[in-house]
Amino acid sequence: SESLRADLSRELLGEGLTVAEADTTSAAVRELWQGSFDAVLIGDHIPGMNGPALEEHLRNLAPEIVTIMIGRETPARLTRRLLAILDGAAAA
C-alpha cells in the first residue's frame, strides 16, 4: 500500500539508504534497469503481477540483487533485516 511504502521509505532514508519506489510491476522493472540497486523489497500485491511472481522475474533479470518479500513485517523490522543482509554482503 502507499502508506506502507511511505513508512518503509522513511525508515530506510533514516538509515541513510537511497530509496526508489514503484507502484506497479512495470515501474519496478523500469527502476531496476535505470538504477543501481543492492536490494528490492516486494509487497504481496502489486499491480501487474503478484509479489512472488515479481520476485522470481527480478531474480531472473538481476540475480545479484537481494529480493525480500515484505509480508506482514513492520517497516522498522524490514529495515533492520535489510541492513543485516547488506552488512553481511559488505563483509563478504
Side-chain angles (χ1 to χ4, degrees):
S1 73
E2 190 173 325
S3 64
L4 177 59
R5 274 197 328 269
D7 291 345
L8 189 51
S9 289
R10 272 192 299 279
E11 287 281 338
L12 296 170
L13 290 167
E15 293 294 331
L17 298 173
T18 302
V19 175
E21 294 183 42
D23 58 357
T24 65
T25 55
S26 60
V29 171
R30 187 172 46 255
E31 285 287 341
L32 183 71
W33 285 114
Q34 293 175 351
S36 175
F37 297 93
D38 295 316
V40 176
L41 302 176
I42 304 168
D44 291 335
H45 305 287
I46 182 169
M49 67 177 67
N50 66 33
L54 177 59
E55 180 180 34
E56 182 178 342
H57 183 67
L58 294 179
R59 282 186 180 168
N60 289 330
L61 290 174
E64 71 280 3
I65 296 175
V66 173
T67 57
I68 299 173
M69 292 297 298
I70 292 173
R72 297 178 189 262
E73 293 186 63
T74 65
R77 183 172 163 85
L78 281 166
T79 298
R80 287 192 305 273
R81 183 173 162 205
L82 177 60
L83 290 172
I85 291 169
L86 295 177
D87 284 344

